[in-house]
Amino acid sequence: MPGPTIYLDHAATAPLRPEVLDAMLPLLRDGWGNPSSAHAAGRRARSALDEARERVAAVLGATAREIVFTSGGTESINLALKGAAWAGSAKGHRIVISAVEHHAVEHAARHLERFGFEVAMVPVDRYGRVDPDEVEAAITDRTVVVSVMTANNEVGTIQPIAEIGERLRRHRGVLFHTDAVQAAPWLALDVDALGVDLLSIAGHKLGGPKGVGALYVRRGTNLVAQQHGGGQERYRRAGTEDVAYATALATALDLAVAERPVVVPRVALLRDRLASAVVAQGVALTGHPTERLPNSLSVVVGGVHGAEVATALDLDGLQCSTGSACATGSDEVSHVLAAMGFPEEEARGALRLSLGRTTTDDEVDRAMAIVPTTIARIRDASAALAGDPIGVDSRTGDGYQPAAHGRSTGTDGR
Ligand code: PLP
């Protein structure tokens, strides 16, 4: 008899933590004042908002005034990119991004092209990593902002952000933004160590609610607000602040940091165990072998479409995705895998299994049985349809081998 559903799509969103809900509920019930109001209800809300801001700042090694609360990762990123681009537009119009950015970055940059900005895309290697020297080489005296994600949402590859930050210090007037939405649950994020001016995070990847995020804005950074109205968030983001959600974000972040020393090695071990069962003839890991998020297992399955496998797995009680949740349902092949050099046919076999802090040993045991069986079944079915007795794309399979059990990866503090 099949067990309960296994959720291996934490990169899409993580379940809401009960502690976060507990922190939020009193504010929704009783602390509903407007933090801009001068009366007692307003002052109570303001004090909770101030506290949440302090807590988020402390985790990032920042000061409270450098934190802007937003409606999530996408808004933080849009404010960072568009705000920095317009603020620097008197100097130049060049934006440098990596070829594997989330669509929130890529599409925001593409939108700016319509207004005369120029977008330079830095290529990545077959593991999805940029070379810091190539990022620096893409900078001209017209460059206003550089954006490289801390860790990739599809293949989990961690970028050398501190090394890029160090190089960018030589280029005054060029702002450095990192999309740390996927990295925040797993990696220490100290804005000075990373050398970034702008950093985006989102609540729902951390066990917080959807619809809340934050943007770190280094003191003295000029940013043009992207929505106008009241003077909230020091004129950087108009609109009455959601105090309960700000508190939820702070709580989720604090819990992630406190539990990281235990959770990261445990999840990495589970991920490696699962990888050892999933990777086989015709199923190759994608992403960096060691510089990767501890929860991320991404593969390409030769000879079949990842979407078919994901759908069959769902019916078999295991929820995962083909890559980015945002691209699921579209027929577009992953731009991340394309940038890593995967031919279109191989990239169509993409499958992402992302673990989380709630993933159990038992779930991984069951997933280790379900995933290979389901892949084999889909393969046999499509081979039978095609009249091909083997059905395995022999070109796939040159990826790295899964890490040995016990090796913890992607925990180097970035
Ligand atoms: N950046 C990355 C790397 C992501 O994985 C996501 C979410 O999938 C986002 C940005 C967008 O964040 P949000 O869903 O909070 O708008």
Side-chain angles (χ1 to χ4, degrees), residues 86-99:
W86 285 117
S89 59
K91 174 199 162 194
H93 288 83
R94 188 173 166 88
I95 299 164
V96 175
I97 65 173
S98 89

Side-chain angles (χ1 to χ4, degrees), residues 57-113:
V59 168
L60 301 177
T63 58
R65 57 171 54 204
E66 294 174 309
I67 303 301
V68 178
F69 284 115
T70 66
S71 66
T74 301
E75 190 193 331
S76 296
I77 290 165
N78 272 264
L79 175 56
L81 244 72
K82 294 175 185 168
W86 285 117
S89 59
K91 174 199 162 194
H93 288 83
R94 188 173 166 88
I95 299 164
V96 175
I97 65 173
S98 89
V100 293
E101 295 300 304
H102 187 272
H103 281 158
V105 168
E106 193 194 330
H107 292 178
R110 293 289 175 219
H111 176 77
L112 286 163
E113 277 184 324

